[in-house]
Amino acid sequence: MGIKRVWICEKEEAERKKILRVLKASQWFQGETLGFVSEKQARSRVLDVRSMPDLIFMSTEFGQNGGIYAAQKIAENWGEIPVIFMSEEVREVEQIFEADPAYFLKKPIQPECLQAALEWGRQHCREKRRKDAVVVMGKGGLHRILCSRLQYVESHRRVATFAGEGQSYSVYMKLDELEEILPEKFLRCHKSYLVNMDFIRKFTMENVYLFSGQKIPVSRGKYRKAREKYLNYLSGSSRKEG
């Protein structure tokens, strides 16, 4: 799975352009970049889950209190996101590892070093996606959802309802967006449903039956692909891929 969204927090235009060139040429980059020249710009996106990055390039000089502080504030909202710090000062290397995981590039950045940093970021993005929690925006702020307890998600008129362990709550979010950030064990069996395959008791052409007794519809157009994914999951191949 490739990197879908990258933040570049860097005031120097020349360095931003170097990063953009490498990203555009990379086979692992399949999405969008958001560039920020001030901490205020970045803060305006921190509460928007749709802007959540897979990887951040962060200048240590970024923001009033420095890039290390800015990265820590981002992590408070979204949890662990791989950060590639950039600086002219080698002495800052020890400090950057207060933000974990972190990588370091010395300015002026060399293209071959950028390639290595991007490969590091790709590996850490994959590890992050394997973790059993996602962050979504709901009433009152951001919510961290433990996927192991989430049985299914139902969507109706752009309102996604999360159901699990006798509890449910809703957020305004498209199911397509959720499908991108939820772990591979979530199955799209219908345009309005994502189901955690750990909770499936029985799979038929018409419905998925959960251990809780809940019945989830299976659409005709999604049956074949959903069935194949479920069989792969039962065989263990999906789990091995993360």
Side-chain angles (χ1 to χ4, degrees):
M1 184 180 291
I3 299 169
K4 294 186 177 180
R5 185 174 295 108
V6 174
W7 279 22
I8 304 173
C9 300
E10 171 62 76
K11 292 184 292 184
E12 297 179 31
E13 184 179 3
E15 300 295 355
R16 289 201 308 274
K17 286 183 176 179
K18 287 180 188 178
I19 297 168
L20 283 170
R21 281 196 296 269
V22 171
L23 286 171
K24 289 178 180 178
S26 172
Q27 60 180 323
W28 304 313
F29 182 62
Q30 305 168 356
E32 65 173 347
T33 59
L34 293 177
F36 304 101
V37 297
S38 72
E39 190 174 2
K40 183 178 180 180
Q41 285 180 323
R43 279 202 309 267
S44 69
R45 294 295 192 110
V46 166
L47 293 180
D48 183 357
V49 174
R50 292 167 297 182
S51 299
M52 184 165 59
D54 295 314
L55 179 65
I56 300 174
F57 285 87
M58 176 73 73
S59 170
T60 57
E61 298 174 353
F62 185 78
Q64 184 176 355
N65 298 300
I68 296 172
Y69 176 82
Q72 290 170 340
K73 299 306 288 185
I74 290 171
E76 287 177 9
N77 286 280
W78 285 334
E80 186 180 281
I81 291 176
V83 181
I84 297 171
F85 287 98
M86 306 169 292
S87 176
E88 295 179 355
E89 301 293 336
V90 177
R91 66 171 180 266
E92 294 180 314
V93 171
E94 291 183 5
Q95 290 179 309
I96 70 167
F97 291 102
E98 295 176 16
D100 186 39
Y103 194 92
F104 179 78
L105 288 173
K106 187 178 184 305
K107 295 181 183 178
I109 301 170
Q110 301 302 314
E112 60 272 20
C113 296
L114 264 174
Q115 291 282 4
L118 190 58
E119 168 61 17
W120 173 89
R122 185 177 74 94
Q123 293 297 331
H124 279 271
C125 286
R126 184 181 296 169
E127 291 173 9
K128 180 172 74 72
R129 288 192 181 100
R130 285 180 180 148
K131 295 188 177 179
D132 200 39
V134 295
V135 179
V136 298
M137 171 65 81
K139 284 187 177 180
L142 296 167
H143 297 276
R144 188 168 181 265
I145 298 171
L146 295 178
C147 298
S148 59
R149 300 177 184 177
L150 179 61
Q151 296 183 20
Y152 66 93
V153 184
E154 179 181 1
S155 177
H156 181 67
R157 294 182 179 178
R158 297 192 177 187
V159 176
T161 300
F162 297 80
E165 295 190 347
Q167 296 182 340
S168 67
Y169 56 93
S170 300
V171 300
Y172 284 97
M173 196 169 183
K174 293 179 181 178
L175 211 60
D176 288 345
E177 296 171 347
L178 281 170
E179 191 173 10
E180 288 187 5
I181 64 175
L182 286 170
E184 286 290 315
K185 65 182 177 180
F186 281 83
L187 177 70
R188 187 74 175 268
C189 60
H190 188 279
K191 67 177 183 179
S192 301
Y193 288 91
L194 281 165
V195 182
N196 187 339
M197 289 187 280
D198 286 344
F199 291 92
I200 294 179
R201 178 178 62 83
K202 183 179 178 182
F203 190 112
T204 72
M205 290 186 69
E206 293 82 23
N207 299 290
V208 166
Y209 298 87
L210 307 186
F211 288 105
S212 63
Q214 180 72 32
K215 182 171 69 174
I216 306 294
V218 175
S219 64
R220 183 176 299 178
K222 294 188 180 294
Y223 169 73
R224 181 175 294 182
K225 187 175 180 180
R227 182 177 182 274
E228 181 181 353
K229 182 174 179 178
Y230 181 56
L231 289 175
N232 287 338
Y233 187 74
L234 290 178
S235 70
S237 59
S238 179
R239 296 171 193 177
K240 290 175 185 176
E241 292 171 5

